[in-house]
Structure formats: C-alpha cells, structure tokens
Amino acid sequence: MNADGSSGIGRREQKRADTRLAIQRAAVELFEEHGYDATTVDDIARRANVAPRTFFRYFPSKELTLFSEDVSERFAALVLDAPPHLPPLDALESALARLLEDAPSELDRRRQALRRTLHEQPGVTRQFAHVQDLIAERLRAAFLRRLQDGGAPRPGLTADATVAIYLGLARTLVDGDPDQRERIREWFDAVRAVLGESRAGT
C-alpha cells in the first residue's frame, strides 16, 4: 500500500493497460493512414512512444493489435453467470446475447472495420483462428464447471459438444454484421430443430 492509500500493484496493472491501449490505438491510426502492409512494428512503437522491445512484450506481432483476447474471459464469465437451471445450449445463447450487449468502444469499432478489410491477410486470419481457439478453451472450462457443479452426466462430452456448436456458429458470422443478432437467433433455432429441443421456459 502506498502513502496515498493506493495499491502499487493496481497502479502497475493500470500502467500496463494504458500502454497496451496506446499501442493498439497507434497501430489502428497507422493502418488507417498508411495501410497495413506499409506499417511496421517500429512505426507503431514510435507513434505509441514506446521502444520496439516494449511493443513485443505486449504483442508478438502487429496483427495481434487488431484483436482483444479479454473477450474470451468475458464470454466465459457470462457462461458461468447464466442462471444455473439453464441447459448448456440456452446458457450459451444467453451468454452470447449479453456479450453482444457490451457497447464497443470507438477503437473497437475501428479495429473491427480493419479486420473486415484485412480478413484475407494470412497473419490476420491466423490470429482470428487463435482467438477462436482461446475462446473455445475458456468456454469449455466454463461449461465443464457448470455441468460438474450441477451433477450432469458426462460433463466433458457435453462441454465439448456445446463448444462445437459455438464454433460452428462463429464460422458463419461476419465481423460487425448489423444483422448479427438475428443470424445468431436463426442459428440456435436451427440447432434446436436438429436436436428436437425448445428454449427453456417455452
């Protein structure tokens, strides 16, 4: 604890978060101004007023500045926060709906637009796949915990099946699609039709 009552650890974490955000903002500005291919890591570091080695402490490559891995943590937390009586499919749909309610920041919207423009760039494609893998890993852990806490039979298999449903959905979505909510609802309706299920409470 510091003399002013603040936590030294808290201040360090905030400084790291501020530096990460500054690097991401600098990258987006330069991609918009000069193009993705023409922008180097050195350019981004210079604009963010950090050393190149500092850049690499936060991002292994410039592609990573277009993505936010904390979405996987938020998604998993929303799964765990879903009402315990909901079956896995309903908990997944509920968590996804709440995730979409989070208002994107101005920087998030600009990154989203750049991802759409650069979706055929190999590095961007690889990073998108990495983010989806991370989401899948954390979703599986969240569903496994829900299912084990609820005493469900074969929790591991059910968690795997639920994550597979999410990954199938993710492949059909277009980043920033204004009709995304409707497409998600249609997807879950189709899955329920295949499984012969209905939404909980209907």
Side-chain angles (χ1 to χ4, degrees), residues 27-44:
V28 166
E29 290 172 354
L30 289 167
F31 293 157
E32 291 173 339
E33 293 170 13
H34 304 296
Y36 175 83
D37 289 330
T39 299
T40 67
V41 167
D42 284 348
D43 294 332
I44 297 170

Side-chain angles (χ1 to χ4, degrees), residues 171-198:
R171 284 194 292 270
T172 72
L173 297 177
V174 176
D175 213 1
D177 182 355
D179 298 323
Q180 200 168 71
R181 285 180 174 80
E182 183 59 29
R183 294 185 192 282
I184 289 170
R185 183 174 181 84
E186 289 173 353
W187 173 267
F188 280 100
D189 285 345
V191 170
R192 287 188 176 89
V194 170
L195 298 177
E197 293 184 358
S198 60

